[in-house]
Amino acid sequence: MDNEIDWGGLSFGYLPTDYNVRCHYADGKWGEIEVSDSPFINVHIAATGLHYGQEIFEGLKAFRGKDGKIRIFRLEENAKRLRESAKGLLMAQVPIELFCEMVIKAVKLNERFVPPYGSGASLYIRPIEFGTSAQVGVKPGSEYTLVIFVTPVGPYFKSGFKPTKICIMRQYDRVAPRGTGRWKVGGNYAASLEAGEKAHEMGYSAVLYLDPKEKKYLDECGPANFFAIKDGAYITPASDSILPSITNKSLMQLARDMGLEVQQRHIAVEELNDIEEAAACGTAAVASPIGEIDDIDTGDKYVLSKDGNPGPVTTALYNKLRAIQLGEEEDVHGWNTIL
Ligand code: PLP
Ligand code: COI
C-alpha cells in the first residue's frame, strides 16, 4: 500500500495507517499500553470529554533523515506541554516516560508510513487525551484515555514555502484573556472555526488574532505562533493567551545561534508598519512566510513581501530547522530522538 502513496503530493490531511496506541487512566493510575488496528474508540455517552470538553491534544512530527534513520522532533517538550494542558483542565497528567514510550511505539509500528527523505513530507503524530468517566455534574472526571495515532502529511498551507496573505478580524477571539489559550485544548479550535472559514472564503490562509483583552497587540496566527524580523531582530509576541509553540522556541534558539537578537514581548499592531519579514510557525506550519496582513475592520494593509518571495531571515531559519530535523546538520541542541 505504501507504494501507492504519492509522498510528494501529500497535503496536511488524514490517511489511515496500520496501528494506534492507547492507554487508560482509572483508579488513580495509568494502565498498560494497548495497540489497536481499529481507528474507532468505544466511548461512554456521558464521558466528560464529550459534554464538558475535557479534551487536550498534541502535535509533533517524525522525519526520515538523510541517513535513513527516523527522527522525532522535541518529543519531551510535547510530553511536558500535554502535562501543562492536563493541569489546566484538571485532567490526569501523563508521565513523560509513558508519553515518550507510546509515541515511539506508534511511530515504529507504522514505520512504513514515515515518508522518504527528500519527499518534503513527514509523519504527523497526534496524541489526544480526553475524559471518559460517565458523569453529568460539572466537575473533573476520574477516568481518562490517551490515544496516539499517526498520519503522513505534506505542507499545512497549500502554497508550501511561499508567502500567503493573512487577516486580522477584530470581531472574533479564539480564547479569553485569562482562558485556555496557553493550553492545547480542543475547544480553542472549535472557537476559531467560524473566523477561520470566513478568512478562507475571503482568500486568506489564516487569521492573525489580537490579544483578546485590549485588541492592541498581536497574539497568534490561527494554529501557529507569529514571528517577525524587525531591524534584524527576531520578535515574537509575549502573551498568556497563546500556545507556547515548540517550533517558535526552537526558532528563537536558532535565531540566537545565527547572531540575531530575540525579543519576546508585546507587539502593537502598528508595529506591522516597521517590520521586514513575518511568518507563522508551528509543527504543521513549520515557518510559513506571510506576504501581507489585512486588518479587515480598519482597512489597513501591511505588505511584507513585495516580490512574492519569502524574506532572507525566514528562509535561513526555515532551512536550518529542516536541516536539523532531517539529520543534514548536527543537532547541537539535542532536539531529535533517533529511533
Ligand atoms: N499555536 C497554536 C494555536 C497551535 O495550534 C500550534 C500548533 O501546535 C502552535 C501555536 C504551534 O505550536 P508547535 O510549534 O508546538 O507545534
Ligand atoms: C500543529 O501544528 O501540530 C497543530 O496542532 C496545528 C493544527 C493542525 C491544529
Side-chain angles (χ1 to χ4, degrees):
M1 178 199 163
D2 42 337
N3 298 337
E4 294 160 22
I5 297 178
D6 170 17
W7 301 108
L10 284 178
S11 59
F12 191 85
Y14 175 79
L15 273 188
T17 51
D18 290 335
Y19 301 102
N20 56 82
V21 296
R22 303 156 180 218
C23 194
H24 305 286
Y25 176 93
D27 301 322
K29 57 180 187 304
W30 289 95
E32 295 296 313
I33 299 172
E34 295 164 25
V35 173
S36 173
D37 60 5
S38 167
F40 295 100
I41 43 177
N42 198 10
V43 181
H44 196 285
I45 54 173
T48 59
L50 293 180
H51 51 129
Y52 297 134
Q54 269 198 312
E55 191 279 334
I56 56 178
F57 65 102
E58 269 305 323
L60 62 163
K61 278 178 175 170
F63 301 85
R64 177 81 62 182
K66 199 178 176 188
D67 54 5
K69 292 186 182 150
I70 297 171
R71 287 168 171 75
I72 303 174
F73 190 65
R74 309 212 73 171
L75 177 55
E76 282 209 8
E77 285 296 315
N78 284 272
K80 287 186 203 154
R81 194 171 61 189
L82 186 73
R83 287 173 66 80
E84 284 303 306
S85 300
K87 208 155 92 188
L89 263 56
L90 301 189
M91 296 168 63
Q93 292 187 51
V94 180
I96 291 177
E97 311 75 53
L98 175 63
F99 180 91
C100 294
E101 190 184 339
M102 285 177 69
V103 169
I104 291 170
K105 205 175 185 87
V107 174
K108 281 192 174 159
L109 287 167
N110 295 291
E111 189 173 340
R112 70 191 186 98
F113 294 96
V114 181
Y117 172 71
S119 62
S122 55
L123 189 74
Y124 188 69
I125 305 162
R126 174 50 65 83
I128 50 174
E129 184 188 339
F130 47 94
T132 47
S133 48
Q135 51 189 66
V136 287
V138 181
K139 60 178 173 26
S142 56
E143 294 181 13
Y144 296 89
T145 293
L146 172 67
V147 179
I148 301 183
F149 71 84
V150 299
T151 191
V153 295
Y156 189 72
F157 293 116
K158 285 188 210 83
S159 55
F161 191 67
K162 285 253 176 63
T164 60
K165 280 165 73 161
I166 64 168
C167 64
I168 297 171
M169 289 180 139
R170 289 166 182 270
Q171 70 277 37
Y172 291 100
D173 293 310
R174 67 187 284 282
V175 292
R178 286 176 204 278
T180 53
R182 70 207 121 121
W183 305 313
K184 207 157 164 66
V185 172
N188 297 346
Y189 299 81
S192 75
L193 292 176
E194 192 182 349
E197 284 306 290
K198 253 195 173 160
H200 289 150
E201 279 161 23
M202 291 161 74
Y204 297 102
S205 64
V207 178
L208 177 56
Y209 288 95
L210 302 185
D211 80 277
K213 187 167 180 221
E214 296 185 83
K215 301 270 183 182
K216 269 169 66 178
Y217 305 105
L218 306 182
D219 236 356
E220 64 180 329
C221 193
N225 272 185
F226 174 90
F227 74 82
I229 305 300
K230 184 185 174 194
D231 300 327
Y234 182 108
I235 62 171
T236 191
S239 164
D240 56 12
S241 51
I242 67 174
L243 191 75
S245 156
I246 295 161
T247 311
N248 197 3
K249 196 170 161 182
S250 309
L251 291 170
M252 284 190 252
Q253 182 61 54
L254 296 179
R256 273 186 218 106
D257 294 350
M258 285 162 59
L260 267 63
E261 187 192 339
V262 172
Q263 301 168 4
Q264 201 169 8
R265 59 168 172 82
H266 286 337
I267 303 175
V269 182
E270 302 73 57
E271 261 196 88
L272 289 174
N273 284 309
D274 309 317
I275 63 175
E276 290 121 39
E277 300 177 31
C281 63
T283 297
V286 193
S288 298
I290 296 167
E292 183 176 315
I293 304 172
D294 294 353
D295 194 332
I296 302 294
D297 303 281
T298 63
D300 293 331
K301 271 189 198 307
Y302 306 92
V303 179
L304 303 170
S305 171
K306 294 191 179 65
D307 59 2
N309 291 318
V313 182
T314 306
T315 305
L317 286 166
Y318 173 89
N319 287 339
K320 185 82 188 168
L321 181 69
R322 297 291 288 177
I324 294 170
Q325 291 172 331
L326 296 171
E328 295 167 349
E329 280 192 33
E330 201 190 339
D331 175 21
V332 292
H333 299 291
W335 289 339
N336 294 319
T337 301
I338 304 181
L339 301 193

